[in-house]
Amino acid sequence: MQTTPVIQQYLEIKASHQEALLFFRMGDFYELFFSDAEIASDALNIILTKRGQHKGKDIPMCGVPFHSAEGYIKTLLDKNMKVAICEQLETPKEAKKRGYKEIVKRDVVRIITPGTKLEESFLVQKENNILMALFFFDKTWASCWIDISTGLFKSTISNESQLLSLIDQISPKETISYTNKKELSILKSYTPIEITWLESKKNFSRDILIDYLSSFFDPERLQKLNTGLLGSISLIVEYLKKNKNLFLDHFDIPEQVELSNIMTIDPSTRKNLEINTSLDGEKNLSLLGVVDKTCSLLGSRLLKRRINAPSTQIDQILKWQKKTAEFYNDFQLTEQVRALISKFPDTERSLSRLIRLGPNPRDLFSLKIGMNLFFELKEMLIHLEENSINPGNFFEDNIKKVLRELELAIKEDPPLTMKEGGFIKESFSDELHEFRLIEKKAYSDLLEMQTKYSQKTGIKSLKLKYNNVLGYFFETPISHKDKLLEEKEFFHRQTTANTVRIKSISLDQLEKTTFSARNNALELEIKILEALHQKVIEISRDIIILSKKIASLDVCSTLGFIAEMHNWCRPLIDNSKDFIIKDGRHSVVEKTIFTKSLNAFVPNDCSLSTDEHLWLITGPNMAGKSTFLRQNAHIIILAQIGSYVPAKQAKIGIASKLFSRIGASDNISKGQSTFMVEMLETSNIIKNADDKSFIILDEIGRGTSTFDGLAIAWAIIEKILRSNKSRTLFATHYHELTEIEKTNSKVKNVSCEIKEWNDEIIYSYKVVEGKSKGSLGIKVAELAGFPGDVIVEAKALLGKLQSKGVNQEDIHLKEEDFEKERLIRVKNKLENIDLDSITPLEALNILQKLKSEN
């Protein structure tokens, strides 16, 4: 069977877009064929049908309605698929003018990938949607990343040890790189990111790259970039161009990021510290969840970027801190500012949609609201030194000029699309006003005609109605059909099961007048909207500046608000190696305790310096060691984003790198045990940490035999003291390590205090000087409900191990060992009984419990 012209057209277009599912527009549907249809049918859970044959086989087909396609496309994007949108470029009537057998022209107008989403329904509103390009050249990695939905555009150079930390910090939705590089093994082994592999160009000469990019950016500025950066930017541009998402007229050359200006946080540290989400994936129980009380989407995205890339530059940190302090010191102003910012629309994404998707009344309306609020905030903050927003007269003149026109033209709460009109105020254009008057008059005449015909025919049920097929018509029950058609003025148009539909010459004339006025009005509204759109595009850079200022204002006012609400202090920041905290707290745990109305959080001090930079922390399980480790790491992050910190006082020397090894986790996909993961992460720490780093380590070496683990932990401590010289908090159950304090003054033993009372453990959650008295592991097991005979055996074994050592003799227990331990257990229970207050029934219950347990 011969392939039909439409299927042949589909195959030709699909041949150029093999990597994407082709949404092929056919009337009111997007249709998919062949393997695309099979993939989409399964992914979207829609019916797979067939349409005709190709090479003697049925052609699989499925489709989705054009008007509701966004939801289906989002599902595919969420599954990391790509969608090529193929539209009809002409109407069927226009096609027929070219020839009777001609089919409608179609072509791909846009390819949507996980990193090039624009539609509001596709995006996570509080997160940037990053496309990242990685380019290896001259033994270094060049990276460029862009969020086409907000205008974010940056690039940097890194070495291999920094690369995974950078990717984790940026958290791209899609990463692109060339395939034929041996160096890409590091990417292929890093499972959290999705890589789009592109075929490599043969020639990456500097001159060719500059020549290619000069069409988009200032050639003089390009000359200042090294070849690697040029390659990564070129890769982004090439990919956007290929996907028909290339709109760089409003972009400057990407901002160059110096990684030394940003705290290095590797992926495992970011995860262990629960910076963005808890280990269970909950944002509310993360550090970001505590501080993200921002009022706008712009501010929320900026805060997430900042908390994932704390600054290491004291000038920048102090500048942010001063901005935060102004709001902290004037809570009434802070609340007023936050109330206004809460009304601020997402101007970044509205502008991006206007640039890339064309005129839209709702996005222009959003910009109008944003501009007005910007000027309100400017007046409110005019007396402040740090947070005043005065971008300059030229900027203000540009914004105010466009704002005036938007206020005069755009209706309040306009429709989402231009399809039906009604988004331009009639008062803006005399011509539009005239068209609307004609339309209203014609419609009034139509209603009068209905009354006239109803009276003339005596049919009270005669109603004026409208649909897209017939236009305006009169409808009445079918029982009146003969009576109506007796009138020569009427002619029949349609009969349904219960009604008859008729028209008249007069009705047709009025309908033409109505439609003509409506169409003329819509064409004029679109023309006005396009002119407004163009004026907005001309000041796009000013709108980007405006958006950045509001985002910064939102973050600083939020941090000031949180500091005042939760009684945080302003830390003293310097370039020393001090980390001195008075009454520090864990912001997330404190929030959880408050939410659940539990006892108040117990604060703790911490004091590290050049002279004493490693604290060795011992104590039983559940005594608060891990909480203490994390809270101090969180305090450093907060301090270096310009925030106040959860403490009574704080002096913090800037940390250039933050490392953490907490918790246990397998990596089954790589065949790595818990212990291997622990060793890999710890190896990374001791290889890369320096004297400006801050390290927290929890129970290193626990995944192997006791002596192996102890030896490893001891060697790590010695390495940190000898070479890394990092400020370190090291929590352990190996009490033998506390001996290091005797021979090295840079080590201090501290412990999580516990007390025993009435055969119970009482946790004070207080970190005190000195080493712990013991791990109390068996006591914790008893509290957990272990059977009595297991506890007895464990205590007897512990006694032998402590007295004779593991390797000195056979430690198998004899019956007399058990009996001795049982008697000690009974004796301790009896000694704790108050004989003067106990009742006979209580005594019987105690005897019964002792009998059952022993």
Side-chain angles (χ1 to χ4, degrees):
M1 182 180 290
Q2 187 177 4
T3 303
T4 65
V6 170
I7 293 299
Q8 186 59 43
Q9 183 188 48
Y10 172 88
L11 291 170
E12 290 171 359
I13 296 173
K14 176 64 183 176
S16 301
H17 301 90
Q18 294 291 339
E19 76 288 351
L21 298 177
L22 186 63
F23 270 46
F24 191 76
R25 181 74 178 273
M26 297 182 72
D28 290 334
F29 278 78
Y30 284 122
E31 304 289 7
L32 297 96
F33 299 100
F34 299 101
S35 60
D36 281 10
E38 293 170 342
I39 294 168
S41 172
D42 182 58
L44 299 173
N45 194 26
I46 57 178
I47 296 172
L48 183 69
T49 61
K50 57 187 178 182
R51 175 189 173 116
Q53 291 191 330
H54 178 66
K55 295 183 178 180
K57 294 183 179 179
D58 290 338
I59 301 173
M61 182 185 84
C62 69
V64 300
F66 161 74
H67 67 273
S68 59
E70 274 195 13
Y72 295 102
I73 295 171
K74 181 181 185 301
T75 300
L76 297 172
L77 293 173
D78 289 344
K79 295 182 178 183
N80 288 304
M81 298 181 189
K82 301 173 185 178
V83 176
I85 305 297
C86 181
E87 293 289 0
Q88 296 179 174
L89 303 182
E90 59 182 357
T91 65
K93 286 182 180 179
E94 289 170 333
K96 295 303 178 188
K97 289 178 183 178
R98 293 186 285 107
Y100 179 70
K101 292 186 178 181
E102 292 292 327
I103 61 172
V104 172
K105 287 181 181 178
R106 296 179 175 86
D107 201 358
V108 171
V109 297
R110 182 177 167 218
I111 301 173
I112 311 173
T113 72
T116 58
K117 295 181 285 191
L118 278 173
E119 287 78 357
E120 192 172 356
S121 61
F122 294 168
L123 296 163
V124 179
Q125 298 304 310
K126 289 191 171 186
E127 294 180 9
N128 283 102
N129 196 76
I130 301 291
L131 170 69
M132 189 175 196
L134 302 175
F135 186 86
F136 188 84
F137 184 82
D138 196 22
K139 298 181 182 180
T140 61
W141 286 92
S143 308
C144 182
W145 58 98
I146 189 170
D147 180 354
I148 66 170
S149 73
T150 66
L152 182 76
F153 197 20
K154 298 188 178 186
S155 62
T156 194
I157 294 289
S158 63
N159 57 41
E160 188 169 299
S161 66
Q162 298 170 311
L163 183 61
L164 297 185
S165 295
L166 175 66
I167 295 171
D168 194 56
Q169 173 212 318
I170 302 302
S171 189
K173 293 295 185 291
E174 184 179 8
T175 306
I176 56 178
S177 194
Y178 289 126
T179 55
N180 64 346
K181 293 283 183 183
K182 294 179 182 177
E183 298 82 2
L184 293 179
S185 58
I186 186 174
L187 296 182
K188 292 176 179 176
S189 66
Y190 187 50
T191 53
I193 63 171
E194 292 287 336
I195 305 283
T196 297
W197 301 104
L198 305 178
E199 288 188 18
S200 177
K201 294 178 179 178
K202 293 181 180 178
N203 194 330
F204 289 111
S205 78
R206 180 179 178 79
D207 290 341
I208 288 176
L209 290 171
I210 290 176
D211 183 60
Y212 177 66
L213 293 173
S214 292
S215 301
F216 311 101
F217 307 109
D218 181 1
E220 289 187 14
R221 296 184 67 184
L222 291 172
Q223 290 287 351
K224 297 177 183 178
L225 303 181
N226 67 32
T227 305
L229 283 174
L230 291 170
S232 67
I233 299 169
S234 176
L235 183 52
I236 284 272
V237 172
E238 178 189 343
Y239 189 67
L240 292 176
K241 186 176 181 180
K242 179 185 176 184
N243 290 341
K244 303 182 187 294
N245 282 301
L246 189 62
F247 297 90
L248 295 174
D249 296 348
H250 310 277
F251 281 83
D252 287 322
I253 196 167
E255 177 189 344
Q256 305 303 298
V257 176
E258 178 56 58
L259 290 185
S260 63
N261 294 341
I262 295 172
M263 181 192 290
T264 299
I265 306 175
D266 63 55
S268 62
T269 297
R270 201 179 307 276
K271 178 183 176 183
N272 291 336
L273 292 181
E274 301 177 302
I275 293 174
N276 296 306
T277 62
S278 69
L279 294 176
D280 295 329
E282 292 287 332
K283 178 186 172 182
N284 287 340
L285 300 178
S286 68
L287 178 60
L288 181 62
V290 170
V291 296
D292 189 7
K293 304 303 178 212
T294 50
C295 299
S296 71
L297 296 174
L298 294 81
S300 184
R301 291 193 292 266
L302 175 61
L303 181 59
K304 184 173 183 181
R305 294 198 301 273
R306 194 175 289 181
I307 208 168
N308 279 278
S311 177
T312 59
Q313 301 304 294
I314 192 166
D315 291 344
Q316 179 64 77
I317 296 169
L318 294 178
K319 181 180 177 182
W320 287 337
Q321 196 184 82
K322 288 176 183 176
K323 287 176 175 288
T324 300
E326 271 193 332
F327 288 113
Y328 176 83
N329 293 327
D330 191 338
F331 196 70
Q332 184 178 358
L333 175 67
T334 301
E335 289 190 310
Q336 292 171 351
V337 168
R338 285 170 55 78
L340 274 183
I341 293 177
S342 67
K343 301 174 185 177
F344 205 90
D346 196 343
T347 49
E348 287 179 337
R349 285 184 167 161
S350 288
L351 179 62
S352 287
R353 283 192 295 269
L354 289 169
I355 291 171
R356 289 165 179 78
L357 302 180
N360 180 285
R362 187 62 66 89
D363 284 326
L364 287 173
F365 180 69
S366 291
L367 292 183
K368 185 193 85 168
I369 292 174
M371 292 174 190
N372 269 320
L373 287 170
F374 175 82
F375 287 116
E376 281 190 60
L377 284 163
K378 178 177 177 291
E379 290 302 313
M380 184 179 287
L381 302 172
I382 200 165
H383 65 284
L384 297 184
E385 289 184 18
E386 303 296 334
N387 287 292
S388 62
I389 46 176
N390 188 11
N393 293 333
F394 184 70
F395 168 93
E396 288 196 22
D397 290 344
N398 287 342
I399 295 287
K400 285 180 177 177
K401 184 178 178 181
V402 175
L403 175 58
R404 277 194 295 270
E405 290 210 45
L406 290 175
E407 287 184 319
L408 290 171
I410 301 291
K411 281 188 176 180
E412 295 297 310
D413 196 24
L416 288 170
T417 67
M418 299 185 291
K419 188 176 179 181
E420 300 296 331
F423 44 82
I424 300 295
K425 295 177 181 177
E426 291 180 29
S427 58
F428 184 74
S429 165
D430 292 339
E431 189 178 5
L432 178 62
H433 181 61
E434 185 64 29
F435 287 141
R436 290 302 185 200
L437 285 178
I438 294 170
E439 183 185 356
K440 288 174 185 176
K441 176 67 169 58
Y443 187 70
S444 177
D445 290 344
L446 285 170
L447 294 177
E448 285 184 16
M449 184 178 286
Q450 173 187 295
T451 304
K452 173 187 168 186
Y453 283 161
S454 180
Q455 291 174 348
K456 182 177 180 180
T457 60
I459 302 172
K460 293 182 180 179
S461 58
L462 189 71
K463 299 295 181 185
L464 177 70
K465 292 195 173 182
Y466 174 86
N467 66 33
N468 289 330
V469 177
L470 299 181
Y472 285 104
F473 57 88
F474 291 109
E475 183 180 85
T476 189
I478 199 166
S479 57
H480 297 296
K481 179 179 179 180
D482 294 338
K483 184 177 182 180
L484 274 174
L485 294 179
E486 286 176 1
E487 296 284 342
K488 293 181 181 180
E489 191 172 354
F490 299 129
F491 51 89
H492 178 264
R493 285 308 310 269
Q494 191 177 54
T495 300
T496 69
N498 300 310
T499 65
V500 61
R501 293 170 176 176
I502 58 100
K503 300 192 82 167
S504 71
I505 296 172
S506 299
L507 178 60
D508 274 351
Q509 290 172 343
L510 269 178
E511 183 181 61
K512 287 176 183 176
T513 302
T514 304
F515 285 170
S516 176
R518 184 177 301 167
N519 290 336
N520 288 338
L522 179 57
E523 287 178 9
L524 182 56
E525 281 196 69
I526 292 172
K527 186 177 178 181
I528 293 169
L529 193 76
E530 287 174 343
L532 291 169
H533 170 261
Q534 185 56 42
K535 289 176 180 178
V536 164
I537 298 303
E538 288 171 1
I539 63 161
S540 59
R541 292 173 188 264
D542 297 314
I543 296 171
I544 291 169
I545 292 171
L546 176 153
S547 301
K548 287 181 178 179
K549 287 184 177 294
I550 296 301
S552 176
L553 202 61
D554 191 6
V555 168
C556 295
S557 61
T558 294
L559 294 178
F561 172 79
I562 290 170
E564 206 281 337
M565 288 291 291
H566 300 308
N567 194 27
W568 291 5
C569 78
R570 181 176 180 174
L572 175 62
I573 306 291
D574 61 20
N575 282 313
S576 71
K577 294 177 185 176
D578 291 341
F579 181 78
I580 302 169
I581 307 298
K582 175 70 175 174
D583 287 346
R585 314 191 303 274
H586 191 303
S587 58
V588 181
V589 176
E590 184 175 46
K591 172 190 172 184
T592 305
I593 288 174
F594 178 79
T595 303
K596 295 182 178 180
S597 300
L598 301 174
N599 293 332
F601 185 89
V602 177
N604 277 300
D605 299 348
C606 185
S607 180
L608 302 173
S609 64
T610 304
D611 296 330
E612 187 181 88
H613 63 80
L614 192 149
W615 270 22
L616 194 65
I617 309 158
T618 52
N621 291 316
M622 303 190 302
K625 296 192 299 297
S626 295
T627 297
F628 180 70
L629 296 181
R630 283 193 176 97
Q631 77 184 38
N632 287 299
H634 283 185
I635 284 172
I636 281 188
I637 292 172
L638 290 170
Q640 291 185 214
I641 67 168
S643 174
Y644 282 34
V645 300
K648 190 173 183 180
Q649 289 180 341
K651 180 178 184 291
I652 298 170
I654 292 171
S656 61
K657 301 174 185 178
L658 181 62
F659 295 102
S660 161
R661 168 59 215 172
I662 295 179
S665 60
D666 292 330
N667 193 329
I668 297 172
S669 65
K670 294 184 182 179
Q672 294 170 347
S673 66
T674 299
F675 183 65
M676 175 56 82
V677 172
E678 178 183 319
M679 291 299 98
L680 287 169
E681 292 180 3
T682 308
S683 172
N684 174 62
I685 293 171
I686 58 178
K687 282 179 182 177
N688 294 296
D690 56 27
D691 63 348
K692 293 288 287 182
S693 301
F694 193 94
I695 302 173
I696 59 172
L697 296 170
D698 192 11
E699 298 185 40
I700 298 299
R702 63 182 173 174
T704 184
S705 69
T706 302
F707 291 143
D708 271 0
L710 173 59
I712 290 170
W714 198 308
I716 290 168
I717 291 174
E718 294 290 357
K719 169 69 174 175
I720 291 171
L721 293 171
R722 180 177 65 252
S723 303
N724 305 107
K725 300 180 181 178
S726 311
R727 288 166 288 180
T728 305
L729 298 176
F730 194 111
T732 185
H733 283 295
Y734 294 129
H735 292 268
E736 296 85 347
L737 295 175
T738 59
E739 296 298 309
I740 298 175
E741 183 192 54
K742 295 178 181 177
T743 58
N744 197 314
S745 63
K746 297 186 184 301
V747 178
K748 180 177 181 178
N749 288 331
V750 297
S751 63
C752 293
E753 183 183 52
I754 54 105
K755 296 177 182 177
E756 292 184 75
W757 183 76
N758 262 358
D759 207 29
E760 298 288 333
I761 297 176
I762 299 173
Y763 296 105
S764 73
Y765 302 109
K766 202 70 184 170
V767 176
V768 297
E769 289 192 28
K771 60 185 180 181
S772 173
K773 296 176 183 177
S775 67
L776 299 179
I778 294 175
K779 177 61 69 176
V780 173
E782 190 172 6
L783 290 174
F786 269 49
D789 57 339
V790 176
I791 298 298
V792 168
E793 184 171 0
K795 285 186 175 180
L797 281 166
L798 178 63
K800 278 205 166 188
L801 288 169
Q802 289 175 333
S803 64
K804 298 185 177 181
V806 177
N807 295 319
Q808 291 185 24
E809 68 174 52
D810 185 5
I811 61 166
H812 289 297
L813 296 176
K814 300 175 183 178
E815 183 56 39
E816 53 263 34
D817 295 316
F818 284 121
E819 188 60 29
K820 180 180 177 181
E821 185 58 44
R822 289 192 192 100
L823 290 172
I824 292 172
R825 185 178 173 86
V826 170
K827 177 176 176 290
N828 289 338
K829 294 270 188 184
L830 292 173
E831 285 178 346
N832 285 325
I833 297 172
D834 185 352
L835 296 176
D836 294 329
S837 62
I838 193 170
T839 66
L841 181 59
E842 288 172 337
L844 284 172
N845 287 336
I846 290 171
L847 286 173
Q848 178 62 37
K849 188 175 181 182
L850 288 172
K851 184 178 179 181
S852 64
E853 287 182 352
N854 296 283

